[in-house]
Amino acid sequence: MDSVESSDQRRATVSQREQWMVQDQVFQIYDIFANIPHKTRTLMLELQRDNHIEYLTRGLKQLSSSFVVLDANRPWLCYWILHSIALLGESIDYELENNVIDFLKHCQDPNGGYGGGPGQMPHLATTYAAVNSLITLGGRRALSSINRGKLYAFLRGMKDPSGAFRMHDAGEIDVRACYTAISVASILNILDDELIKGVGNYILSCQTYEGGIAGEPGSEAHGGYTFCGLAAMILINEANRLDLAGLLDWVVFRQGVECGFQGRTNKLVDGCYSFWQGGVFALLKGLHSVDGEHVALSDAEEGDSATDGTSEGEDGNSLETDETCHIKQGGDGEMAPLFHSVALQQYIILCSQEQEGGFRDKPGKARDYYHTCYCLSGLSVCQYSQSKDEHSPPLPRAVLGPYSNLLEPVHPLYNVVLKQYQEAHEFFSSQSTS
């Protein structure tokens, strides 16, 4: 038997070895958690709010010289940090807020759109980040700083004859470009038939045989592109054109034994997919039918667990849960959770959270603002996954750890805090684009 195992280990691929190493690291954390006193367990499940706020605020004020490699992503850094702070229910001081608004004004191109920094060419990705940053800040000064008329002209300029969008002038065409363009136009109330035309056909051509959505036709299904494609199709009212049953099937099986999500088939778990994959379930929750019929996966799937044992968290949360990946209509029309929401919270809090502040990809990796943003966004999606609507606060059993872990709800289509979206929606609905 030993010789067989040794032979298998010798034949293992690099990917298999990396997978085993990550599983060992994750399961060690879970084993420690399962074998410590209840009081200590409760402390491990606590969201380190103060440390996260300190880490985020410090980064917004000043970054080290190592961040020079992200010079073309500065609006993204603003968004990742500001959105994380908003999810934690906090805000920045008046002086810092004005500094951010002034900085983003300098990133706004005279002909529309936002670049990665002052003087840089406008780009759809940094336009999305800048707009979401300003919406997250809220208030008349931030929202009115967006030149919607010029931004619309920029979006039209990025429109390809195929119907899809380019990321920038002469740039690549992909699903990410389609989503960022449609998301920005929708949230700013400038979305029209000219921008929508042909987008659905392009995204449809990117759905793969697996059910997920690729970045471009012929590529591999990917969690980030699947979110972008589905969200864009919902925003243009063409989601029913997708193979939603196949998409759901693909996303369901991206949640692995570590309790977190992988971005592609046979890839490692990554905390950022807590939102990119978890957010897909929030979008699907709003779709009541697939091809006109309610969806229900096999009852045999119910009761499967993403954990190896049962441990009780604060408020009686069980880390082994029957919240299986399924759609099931209740008597009041409410959908049951579509994924292991408590198990995903377990991965985020125990494996991605840094006690000193910030979140990381996986054990062994360093914290960063990107993963902090999308781990917190995914955590919010988990916590509200059983809520009937945005006005219904989650029950204690839906929140792993103390109820003080509860974050602000996000609007899953745009990934901005819901109340900030509502303010922006009201503001831009009353504004002309001239």
Side-chain angles (χ1 to χ4, degrees):
M1 184 65 179
D2 290 341
S3 61
V4 172
E5 290 177 350
S6 177
S7 175
D8 287 344
Q9 297 233 348
R10 285 197 299 270
R11 290 197 298 267
T13 65
V14 172
S15 296
Q16 285 175 316
R17 291 193 187 100
E18 289 179 346
Q19 175 64 31
W20 294 336
M21 181 177 70
V22 171
Q23 284 182 204
D24 286 345
Q25 292 174 318
V26 169
F27 292 160
Q28 282 177 24
I29 293 171
Y30 292 162
D31 285 343
I32 291 170
F33 179 81
N35 291 291
I36 58 177
H38 178 78
K39 186 175 181 180
T40 309
R41 225 183 294 163
T42 300
L43 292 174
M44 282 187 69
L45 289 174
E46 186 175 344
L47 193 64
Q48 301 299 314
R49 285 179 176 271
D50 291 344
N51 292 343
H52 297 318
I53 292 294
E54 182 183 353
Y55 166 68
L56 293 161
T57 305
R58 186 171 64 247
L60 193 59
K61 290 179 179 178
Q62 185 173 3
L63 296 171
S64 69
S65 59
S66 64
F67 281 86
V68 69
V69 296
L70 293 177
D71 181 64
N73 291 279
R74 290 163 76 185
W76 277 113
L77 287 162
C78 290
Y79 168 61
W80 296 332
I81 293 173
L82 290 170
H83 180 53
S84 297
I85 292 172
L87 281 166
L88 291 162
E90 299 292 332
S91 58
I92 59 176
D93 64 50
Y94 181 76
E95 181 181 0
L96 188 54
E97 178 180 320
N98 281 330
N99 288 344
V100 174
I101 295 171
D102 290 339
F103 167 72
L104 292 174
K105 277 184 178 179
H106 286 99
C107 295
Q108 189 167 205
D109 190 86
N111 295 314
Y114 292 79
Q120 296 184 24
M121 66 160 23
H123 191 286
L124 278 175
T126 47
T127 295
Y128 168 87
V131 168
N132 275 13
S133 295
L134 292 164
I135 286 171
T136 299
L137 288 175
R140 176 168 290 275
R141 185 165 187 265
L143 299 179
S144 62
S145 71
I146 304 169
N147 189 326
R148 293 193 300 153
K150 292 289 182 67
L151 199 153
Y152 176 80
F154 167 65
L155 295 179
R156 284 292 302 272
M158 295 304 101
K159 185 79 171 173
D160 186 75
S162 67
F165 286 87
R166 294 187 178 274
M167 292 302 300
H168 56 86
D169 187 26
E172 67 274 27
I173 297 171
D174 58 29
V175 168
R176 178 184 50 147
C178 293
Y179 167 69
T180 49
I182 295 299
S183 175
V184 164
S186 173
I187 205 165
L188 296 180
N189 195 32
I190 55 175
L191 185 61
D192 65 7
D193 291 342
E194 289 300 315
L195 294 177
I196 291 172
K197 185 178 179 181
V199 170
N201 290 339
Y202 180 79
I203 293 175
L204 195 63
S205 72
C206 295
Q207 186 168 24
T208 77
Y209 71 94
E210 288 186 280
I213 298 173
E216 55 190 22
S219 294
E220 182 182 9
H222 182 283
Y225 291 118
T226 298
F227 172 86
C228 289
L230 177 60
M233 291 294 267
I234 292 172
L235 288 169
I236 64 174
N237 295 315
E238 296 185 25
N240 63 324
R241 297 182 63 195
L242 292 167
D243 174 8
L244 293 176
L247 190 152
L248 172 61
D249 187 65
W250 180 80
V251 178
V252 160
F253 286 101
R254 301 286 69 77
Q255 188 171 17
V257 293
E258 308 91 342
C259 300
F261 279 100
Q262 60 181 187
R264 291 177 285 162
T265 304
N266 295 325
K267 294 295 182 178
L268 301 177
V269 66
D270 185 333
C272 72
Y273 292 108
S274 301
F275 178 76
W276 295 124
Q277 302 284 33
V280 168
F281 293 108
L283 298 179
L284 289 171
K285 183 180 177 183
L287 299 174
H288 298 298
S289 63
V290 177
D291 293 333
E293 296 181 3
H294 292 310
V295 177
L297 300 186
S298 169
D299 290 339
E301 291 177 325
E302 297 184 24
D304 291 346
S305 173
T307 57
D308 289 333
T310 302
S311 300
E312 293 240 335
E314 185 74 5
D315 297 319
N317 292 126
S318 172
L319 302 187
E320 179 177 33
T321 172
D322 62 358
E323 293 169 7
T324 350
C325 307
H326 65 288
I327 296 181
K328 184 168 62 177
Q329 294 292 131
D332 58 357
E334 183 180 357
M335 282 178 162
L338 309 179
F339 64 108
H340 297 270
S341 62
V342 173
L344 180 56
Q345 291 178 69
Q346 174 183 332
Y347 178 81
I348 295 169
I349 295 173
L350 296 182
C351 300
S352 287
Q353 178 175 226
E354 288 276 9
Q355 293 296 307
E356 296 78 20
F359 289 78
R360 59 191 179 183
D361 165 349
K362 60 177 69 68
K365 298 287 187 177
R367 65 183 179 178
D368 60 66
Y369 299 111
Y370 169 84
H371 285 92
T372 299
C373 170
Y374 292 106
C375 283
L376 286 172
S377 295
L379 187 58
S380 175
V381 166
C382 289
Q383 293 171 343
Y384 292 88
S385 63
Q386 298 182 60
S387 299
K388 187 173 182 180
D389 55 51
E390 64 269 21
H391 304 295
S392 303
L395 296 172
R397 62 182 173 82
V399 179
L400 183 63
Y403 200 70
S404 59
N405 281 359
L406 184 65
L407 300 173
E408 295 293 317
V410 297
H411 193 304
L413 285 168
Y414 310 103
N415 198 20
V416 294
V417 168
L418 190 59
K419 63 183 179 183
Q420 302 307 110
Y421 162 77
Q422 291 167 341
E423 179 191 355
H425 178 72
E426 183 177 344
F427 181 85
F428 292 121
S429 295
S430 64
Q431 302 289 311
S432 66
T433 56
S434 57

